[in-house]
Amino acid sequence: MTEVSIKVTDLTLRFPVYGVDAKSLKKNLARVTVGGRLSSSQTGATEVTALSHLNLNLRAGDRLGLIGHNGSGKTTLLRALSGAYEPDEGQIEVRGRIAALLDLSLGIDPSATGVDNIRLRGRIAGMSSKEIEDKMDEIAEFSGLGPFLAMPMKTYSAGMQARLAFAVATAVEADVLLMDEWISVGDADFQKLAHRRLLNLVERAGILVLSSHDAGLLRLYCNKVMRLEGGVASEVKDIRRLDELLAAA
Amino acid sequence: MESGQHMLRTGRRGTLFEFSMALRDLVTSYHRRGLAWSLAWHDVVSRYRGSILGPFWITISMGLMVLGIGLLYAKLFGISVAEFMPYVAMGIVFFGLMAGTINEGCDTFVQASSMLSQTSLPMFTFIWRTVLRNLINLAHHAVIIVGVILFFGLWRVMDVFPALGGLLLTIVNLAWISMLVAIASARFRDIPQFVMSVMQFAIFMTPVFWKPDAFPDRHAFLTLNPFYHMLTTIRAPLLGQEADGLSYVVLAIMAVLGWALTFSVFAITRRRIVHFL
């Protein structure tokens, strides 16, 4: 068993923005046939630098909160840590099983039943069929949906959908947990349940990276904090210095 | 090696490195083949949810077409129904596999964009999903094939193994075409329309509904059409005839060159595909 860790070295991520025009083949063909004329305004896709020279070292027990304005790169960093993006420069190395809880609706099919969605979502998260069947009762119980699990998800209220998605998403055995802000789902009762389950998960998971705008939430779950601004990261600081970082805004 | 326990993503470049990463994607998709199967199966189930006959509706509509065209064209061309009906039945069903795999290939990555942008799932998984989904559909339509084989007594003359060989070669070729159009469609949104037009054109240019007897053997009109080779290597043995050896050779060469091309394109564009979407 390897030590759980996240090591990000000098990470730079750029997003090429393919304009609506550039997505049409005609423009590219025209460039070839007409020669430079069109290309003067079209050459090379515009690039947005989403993350710039970011360094980060986390070890087991670290629970990092990410703060920053909209568009500062928090979600991009989380997605990069989940392995979805290839760095343009630098390197990301994650040891341990990753669970990315970034989008509750990932892999959810509204016309399928609750049970089918648990299976599908579980498979996407990397569980085997057997693992899923073993956990099915626990997930079903936690979701509190009872007989509704046999109904199509589209008949669920938004809160019920969130309950189910949350129950499946948090059923995975993970060493590294990546979360985008979405904990405020369901009614008050469910909030309490969700909170307990998350704390449990965080305890089992070696590392948590949580992006949030809620200072209270960050204080509750995290012991470290990092601020992103325009894709540039601050130093990783102790959570007690959160106010300092917030004030720097 | 990529495993559940270790993930490494680097900004390292270089042709050799890109190819090894592409290969790693392929290997990972093999280790997680159960996922591709689950997704494909789910696609079929969810498309026909609430319908009693499910995918068999397509089978029925194909069957009707086989019946209508089989009877009508046999009369028009002056061929016996017993000779023409099985010919058309197999033509329609197997061309359906080709058109389905290639046309749906265009949507492969576009459809999976939310999964691709927040997980580290291998991209090949989604290619297998499209291919497997079409094979599941083929399994339903096989009812028609079995029907004509029994009804017209073809089991006495047919040769199953060469036909399975032809089917395997066809699938290997369809897979790379499907992947190539998947990558191209992610980048250029005109490609799906273009591919659909080509496939529409191909169904009439390929001997699906007509017999190539009017052409001398190995006429360029036939030998230059890849779909002709795919179809004939599957169909001829099932009809108790022998497919031209040339067709097997063409398909084998096409598979090797096609995969080399597609894999190279994938290696070069792999890190960009998620940004295309």
Side-chain angles (χ1 to χ4, degrees), chain A residues 15-16 18 22-25 79 82-83 86-87 90-97 103 109 111-112 123 126, chain B residues 4-9 11 32 34 38 42 46 49 117-120 187-190 270-272 275-276:
Chain A
F15 289 167
Y18 301 97
K23 273 195 174 161
S24 148
L25 186 63
R79 287 182 173 191
S82 81
E86 295 283 338
Q91 177 167 316
I92 307 168
E93 188 172 15
V94 179
R95 289 181 192 276
R97 192 163 166 177
D103 178 3
D109 174 359
S111 60
R123 291 313 302 265
Chain B
Q5 297 293 328
H6 185 210
M7 185 200 78
L8 181 66
R9 293 277 184 279
R32 298 198 62 182
S38 296
H42 182 86
S46 81
R49 194 183 309 284
S117 62
Q118 50 185 310
T119 63
S120 58
R187 178 67 183 88
F188 301 105
R189 299 303 157 99
D190 298 291
R270 189 186 50 87
R271 57 170 72 232
R272 289 274 166 220
H275 299 308
F276 293 161

